[in-house]
Amino acid sequence: MQTYITSHTASYWIEKLGLEAHPEGGFFKRTYESAGEVETKEGTRPLSTSITFLLRSQDVSHFHRLQSDEIWYYHGGSSLTVHVIHPDGAYEAIQLGPDPEQGEVLQAIVPAQSIFGSTVNEPNTYALVGCMVSPGFDYADFELFKREELLALYPQHEEIIRRLTLSS
């Protein structure tokens, strides 16, 4: 049975939610920024921020790193894989989606300082998710990686690095 969320196209949600192209890939809109602030080593940040994020199956969210933890919430569409390279070099593929029988979870945490990106699991679909960052997101804390950088650091993850990075 098709749900309301999946009965619409990616274009429908991009328009209705006012999503814009994201530098890492996909489309987003900031939906929340806390009024409270916290001091970090990178400067003053909101306590938390949240976005709605849509990724189409023909796109990828390129490998990037944040200085804060990020919690992902599944909203609709296809399931999504969040590809994580932890600071110790270990790789993890988190399945974000509605089917626990398939190993999917409705929410997942990407720890601060991890390198991560995402892909939609089904062709010709999209994934609609929410992402909450604490302390709050600031582009000064956002690091997008080039292929050569990551291959030098993590040659054991060459296949996924080639898929989720741009060459220099």
Side-chain angles (χ1 to χ4, degrees), residues 150-166:
L150 290 184
L151 286 174
L153 294 170
Y154 306 107
Q156 70 273 32
H157 304 308
E158 180 177 1
E159 184 178 340
I160 194 62
I161 288 171
R162 288 194 179 280
R163 185 171 177 204
L164 298 184
T165 55
L166 301 170

Side-chain angles (χ1 to χ4, degrees), residues 31-114:
T31 56
Y32 174 74
E33 181 174 313
S34 68
E37 295 181 334
V38 63
E39 286 297 323
T40 70
K41 63 184 177 181
E42 293 82 20
T44 303
R45 302 287 182 260
L47 288 173
S48 63
T49 56
S50 185
I51 65 169
T52 298
F53 181 67
L54 184 141
L55 190 64
R56 302 174 303 185
S57 54
Q58 68 262 36
D59 303 319
V60 300
S61 167
H62 293 97
F63 271 132
H64 60 287
R65 177 168 45 204
L66 301 179
Q67 303 300 313
S68 302
D69 292 341
E70 183 168 67
I71 304 173
W72 287 61
Y73 302 94
Y74 173 80
H75 292 315
S78 176
S79 58
L80 174 114
T81 301
V82 182
H83 304 272
V84 183
I85 300 175
H86 292 278
D88 67 359
Y91 170 80
E92 179 182 12
I94 301 168
Q95 301 303 315
L96 194 68
D99 192 351
E101 299 298 323
Q102 297 299 313
E104 297 171 356
V105 295
L106 294 173
Q107 74 179 46
I109 298 171
V110 175
Q113 299 299 321
S114 297

